[in-house]
Amino acid sequence: MFEKVLIANRGEIACRIIRTCKKHGISTVAIYSEADIDSPHVKMASEAYLVGKPRVNESYLNIDKILEIAQEAGVDAIHPGYGLLSENTTFANRCEEAGIRFIGPDSSVIARMGSKVEARKAMVEAGIPVVPGIARPLLDVEDAVELAKEMNFPVMLKASAGGGGIGMQIARDEDELRKAYEGNQKRATDFFGDGTMFIEKCIENPRHIEIQVLADGEGNTIYLWERDCSIQRRNQKVVEEAPSIFLDEETKVKMGETAVKAAKALNYTNAGTIEFLVDEQKNFYFLEMNTRLQVEHPVTEEITGIDLVEEQLKIAAGEKLSFAQSDVKREGHAIEVRIYAEDPKTFFPSPGKITTFLPSKKPYVRNECAVSEGSVVTPHYDPMIAKLIVKGKDREEAIEYLLHALDDYKVEGIKTNIPMLQEVIGHEAFKNGDVTTKFITKYLKR
Amino acid sequence: MSEVKSNMAGNLWKVLVGEGERVEEGQDVVILESMKMEIPIAAETSGTVKQLKKQEGDFVDEGEVLLELS
């Protein structure tokens, strides 16, 4: 096992990774920007280094500086967390070149899965179902219009390099498609430096259900069942749960086995997630693969009892998986909600100083927090300030627990989405399991 | 003369108007980027852009003047 690990991230995920490292006696190195000097992850780590100015490209995305710190601190490995450099091929390569283990898959797999066009091609080759569409980049707007007419509107236009909903838009007719093409190509070029676009059939009222996989370097690949992450705002997840209420056991197994098949075809190692869109008839289609730890990984940990960060560390250190598919238990029902610093009605960001921060202390609650009382939420980073996870013996109990926990949760000084989360979790449609990616627009009218 | 101010802290991502350009009340004049979200800022009054106070890429605080209208 490693002796010292640098966590190239911030916020709750840095804290979460440090916790597991500590459990295994691994020293931790935190990095922080000038804006994060008082952040919880800085205090938790064995050592902490200033990485740069607040902006991400001057701090958490500064590969040279991060590697310089890693070498100065003498770490064996770097855990990238999620977001930031976690799916950056150059970073993964540079770590390996510097003789530091990158905790994640091989950079060639990251590169393939990072391009939507390439990922789709790889999945088609592996015999994994994909959303009807084309496996090549669009030539121009006329090409897009012609293809959309062939596959019938509505269609989904996507930027190959996109993420977090950026560069992705539904077009219901030719006029909408023309506008969407122009706008999104420009945005993709500005945000990701790559304006490659592609198009696929739009699945109506889909559910977003993903499968967690674990693969060691010895050919053992297993799945840790599904997470339903259908409830989203601005194409970003807000509520995640496991198990899925919509799928039957047969489909769950089929999706799990499909995910394993995909991971094996890629020679995947470490933890990864295969995201699927599931239509009303329970047909599932590959959406994308995230070659890293997911924000919502705790719901899987809660129902399986497996510490995913621990498994990541072990795999990266060259250990074999210590359990087989048949050893993976499932027990109870877990739900996670993401607490964002934002207006609960408009979803506009709400930066500022947190004057009161009191998460629920109920025994069935797991808190993952990026902030504490007195923290300043700056405009430089993602608005997620915390995650709240509950586990009950079944979904009904988990919902009841979550409503109590949300009721307890007190954040003052900034606006949060807690009132919106209460609306979602308390909604009859949520209780009935009518959870599709359209939930917030359909039931909350926003 | 009136001013268009930023209603939140963020990076100035796009300036949508140029000096000397006529803008109408309610028209988006700049787009801020804050917490990975784009936030359009509209002019509260009609007028002509007299001076741009900030450039694309600048960091602006809440309440800072973005441009002057005459």
Side-chain angles (χ1 to χ4, degrees), chain A residues 207 245 395 399 427-435 439 443:
Chain A
R207 283 169 172 81
I245 183 181
R395 190 169 187 266
I399 290 174
H427 204 286
E428 242 356 83
F430 182 77
K431 284 177 188 157
N432 297 335
D434 183 17
V435 281
F439 189 95
Y443 295 110

Side-chain angles (χ1 to χ4, degrees), chain A residues 301-316:
Chain A
E301 296 184 323
E302 290 304 314
I303 65 155
T304 62
I306 293 167
D307 180 332
L308 281 165
V309 173
E310 180 181 324
E311 296 308 320
Q312 285 195 294
L313 291 165
K314 284 182 179 169
I315 293 169

